[in-house]
Structures are given as structure tokens and as C-alpha cells.
Amino acid sequence: MTMAGGLNTERLLGWRLPSPGNTMLGLCALFNITLLAILLLTLLGIKPAHAQEDLSCVGQDLVEIMQRDEPQKYQNLQAEADKVLNGKGTFWRIEKDGLAPSYLLGTMHVTDPRVLKMPKGAQEAFASAKTVVVESDEILDEQKAAVAIFARPDLSMFIDGKSITDMLSTQDKQRLEDGLKQRGIPLVSVLKMKPWILASFVALPACEFKRKAQGASFLDKKIAEDGVASGKSIQGLETLVEQIQAMADLPMDFHMKALVETLSLGDRMQDIMWTMTDLYLQENVGAIMPMVTAVTPENSDADEDGYASFEKRIITDRNHVMAGRAAPLLAQGSVFMAVGALHLPDEEGVIELLRKQGYTLTRVN
């Protein structure tokens, strides 16, 4: 299948595209900082009831189980992962003659203490950098984030009198209510939110909500906060409204299918997130999406046009924006740049786009 401009969607990320819901749940935790900003604002507004409850973040490594119980499926997963250009590595050195070296870290937008440690050498690179670049610097200021997000309520909320429950079956409404309840969020408090926001809420394990409710920072925010504390210049590559607009540009039907599929996974999401985190810590970014596809049910009603648009609008388009806006900052040298890890791989990933600007990128570690 080919999109406008001759881009083959099956090569967009180096693997065959999964179904809409699979794509959504595979990316929401890694990609969109705006989802985390909205989540934080929601938590501040409703004070989740289980904020002090002891919730375990431990899950099963689904790849290990697959390797043991379904060796052929595991081999197929590894073969798909190996096809992904720049699929190995989350930490890269950026060099060009005459400039002090800069660094690129692929992040995971979670509060997991293992992720917050960053890979070997990253802390030293951060300490030596003069400028810290993140997806959006608006995450540093909750009031600024709130103003930015709610300046365009039409992008994240139903403003025409509709509610999310108007579009769900009785069964899916109950699943949504149960999933939100496990995370301390009453359904009535988020009835007007768009489905892509609610999908991100129920895709994140309850333990993430507990940590965020207690004030823990996800990796990108912590990097920005540490940069401020160190007196470094903090620069953002996107605005929160731009990120919201990218999600809002996709068809409502696509978002509803993604929400329903995410709801159908229920408690299995904790195992999926645990496995995604394991692969990230192994710096095996290229295996993340094949894993998500392998361990979630096939969608017989897959919307190929919808998820092709998703890949282009949420990944590829933003990769070009990030690389383009990073250019004048990298030209000054001594930059520590942190963006979602799945923005790094493939022919139109940030790594290759920076190489086309004349930079040499080398995997660290």
C-alpha cells in the first residue's frame, strides 16, 4: 500500500503495520507528551482516590514467555525487529566538524525508576551540555500547560453536547468505567474527553497513575527539570497544541476503534507495558511494535487507511518537525536532545533526518 508521495506504509517503520488499536496502545505511552500533560492536569483536578494505595508495577515479560512457549513466533518477531533501520540503541552521539558533540536520547514517557536512570553515559553527556532540548518545554509549567491545552478545548473535548458514552456499547462503557475506576478516575469526570485521551488513560497501568498522583516526573519532564536546576537553556521542539492537533486531525471512527480495542485488553496492558519497558531498557526499540502486534489479538476489521494516516501524522510528520527545529540548536553544539524513542528509527526517523543535515550519529554503548 502506498500513500501520497509514493511512501510505502509497510516500510514506514520497518514492519507490517498493525491494527489501529494496536498502533495506538503501542505508541501512546512512548510518543505523546501532551497525553501526559492532560493526565497530570486531570489528576490535579480530581485527586484520585487510590493515590496512597500500594500498587505493584511488576508484570510478565511477554517476549520471554513467547521465546519459551512459541519459539517460531519469537523468531518471527526478532526477524521483524532486525529489519528496522536504527532499531537498536536509544542513546546516540551527534557530531559535525567544528562543533562540540551533542547527544540524542530516545525516551519513554513513564515514571519507572529503571527508565529514569537513563543508559550508561547519558548522565555525563547531560551534565556537559549547555542546552537541553525536549519535545515540549511547556511540560515544565503546569499552569502554562493548562492554558495551552484549554485554549483549544475543541481539540481534546466534546463541545457539541456529546459524551464518550454516547458512542460506546453497554459492554464497552462498563469496561471504560472499570478501567478508569482502577486508576482512581470517576467516569463522570471525564465524559467529555475525546477517545484518544481516554485510550491513553486506560493503556497506562494503574501503577503509573499512582506515581503521577504522588508527583513523580516522567523521564522527559525530569530531564527538563534537571536542566532548569543546572542553569541550562531549555528548548522545546513542539507546542502542546501542535501535538493535540495532530491527534485531532485523525478520524473519530479511528479513535473509537482504538479505544474499544485498548479496553478489550484489560489487565493485559500491564504485561504489555512491562514488556515494552524491558525492550526499551535493552535498547531494542525496533522490537517494540512487532511485540505489541504479536501479543495482541488480530483485528479483522482493520482500518488500513486510518492507521496509515496515524503513522504519517503522528510519527513521520512530527519527525520532520523535530529534526527541522532541532537544526539551529544543534548548529551551536553541546546539546542534549530527548524525544520519544519511537521517533528515532527508520528511513524517516530523527536519526536519518539529522544525518541528511550533515551530522554523524553514532550509537553510544
Side-chain angles (χ1 to χ4, degrees):
M1 181 172 60
T2 302
M3 298 191 307
L7 179 62
N8 187 303
T9 56
E10 291 189 5
R11 291 192 54 77
L12 189 60
L13 288 178
W15 53 75
R16 183 172 179 81
L17 294 171
S19 66
N22 291 347
T23 304
M24 177 66 73
L25 65 89
L27 300 179
C28 67
L30 284 162
F31 268 114
N32 204 319
I33 282 181
T34 303
L35 296 174
L36 278 299
I38 293 173
L39 170 58
L40 293 174
L41 293 172
T42 303
L43 293 177
L44 286 172
I46 64 175
K47 297 180 180 179
H50 66 22
Q52 300 302 318
E53 185 179 345
D54 183 20
L55 298 174
S56 172
C57 285
V58 176
Q60 299 184 88
D61 188 320
L62 300 176
V63 173
E64 285 188 0
I65 294 173
M66 188 186 306
Q67 185 176 14
R68 181 191 67 209
D69 298 341
E70 301 178 275
Q72 185 58 55
K73 194 172 185 179
Y74 171 78
Q75 290 177 19
N76 293 341
L77 184 156
Q78 292 300 321
E80 288 297 304
D82 289 342
K83 296 177 185 177
V84 182
L85 180 63
N86 303 319
K88 300 292 195 300
T90 57
F91 185 43
W92 298 74
R93 182 183 298 107
I94 306 173
E95 297 173 294
K96 182 181 281 190
D97 289 346
L99 296 177
S102 293
Y103 292 87
L104 172 63
L105 176 67
T107 62
M108 190 171 183
H109 305 330
V110 295
T111 60
D112 190 315
R114 298 173 299 161
V115 172
L116 296 181
K117 288 181 181 179
M118 297 197 295
K120 182 179 178 181
Q123 191 60 53
E124 293 78 7
F126 172 85
S128 66
K130 295 179 180 178
T131 302
V132 172
V133 176
V134 291
E135 288 185 25
S136 175
D137 58 351
E138 292 170 311
I139 59 175
L140 281 167
D141 187 329
E142 289 169 356
Q143 289 186 337
K144 185 178 179 180
V147 169
I149 291 169
F150 296 123
R152 289 293 309 276
D154 57 303
L155 297 180
S156 58
M157 310 283 287
F158 292 112
I159 60 173
D160 57 0
K162 293 181 181 177
S163 297
I164 190 66
T165 51
D166 297 335
M167 306 176 195
L168 292 172
S169 67
T170 300
Q171 181 184 33
D172 288 329
K173 176 184 174 182
Q174 189 61 52
R175 284 173 171 172
L176 177 60
E177 187 168 10
D178 292 344
L180 291 171
K181 185 177 180 180
Q182 291 175 14
R183 291 153 178 82
I185 298 179
L187 175 60
V188 67
S189 68
V190 294
L191 282 174
K192 298 297 183 180
M193 287 188 175
K194 294 288 181 72
W196 57 270
I197 299 175
L198 298 176
S200 72
F201 284 8
V202 294
L204 287 173
C207 60
E208 273 293 306
F209 279 72
K210 174 191 174 184
R211 289 193 293 234
K212 289 180 174 65
Q214 294 177 341
S217 294
F218 56 95
L219 178 56
D220 307 68
K221 187 178 181 184
K222 183 176 185 301
I223 288 171
E225 290 169 339
D226 290 348
V228 170
S230 303
K232 302 179 188 298
S233 172
I234 311 297
Q235 301 291 330
L237 298 174
E238 300 174 297
T239 67
L240 295 181
V241 168
E242 286 175 328
Q243 290 195 348
I244 298 173
Q245 184 68 65
M247 296 295 289
D249 284 347
L250 299 174
M252 183 60 65
D253 182 59
F254 170 83
H255 285 309
M256 289 304 302
K257 287 179 180 178
L259 173 59
V260 169
E261 188 167 333
T262 303
L263 290 172
S264 70
L265 289 168
D267 293 338
R268 191 169 178 79
M269 277 308 312
Q270 182 148 324
D271 292 336
I272 292 172
M273 283 297 300
W274 181 262
T275 308
M276 289 173 67
T277 304
D278 279 351
L279 291 172
Y280 171 82
L281 293 171
Q282 296 163 17
E283 301 199 27
N284 192 4
V285 178
I288 291 176
M289 285 306 297
M291 178 278 295
V292 172
T293 304
V295 302
T296 51
E298 291 186 6
N299 186 350
S300 60
D301 189 29
D303 177 2
E304 292 192 0
D305 289 340
Y307 60 71
S309 297
F310 180 91
E311 299 284 3
K312 182 179 185 303
R313 187 69 184 91
I314 306 303
I315 304 173
T316 309
D317 288 354
R318 292 179 58 216
N319 289 349
H320 283 272
V321 169
M322 290 181 183
R325 292 180 181 172
L329 302 171
L330 292 172
Q332 300 173 29
S334 194
V335 169
F336 188 91
M337 178 175 167
V339 300
L342 292 185
H343 285 292
L344 304 189
D346 211 68
E347 290 90 345
E348 292 192 80
V350 170
I351 291 171
E352 288 304 303
L353 293 175
L354 292 179
R355 283 174 173 159
K356 290 177 181 177
Q357 294 180 14
Y359 291 97
T360 298
L361 276 81
T362 307
R363 179 185 173 187
V364 182
N365 302 326

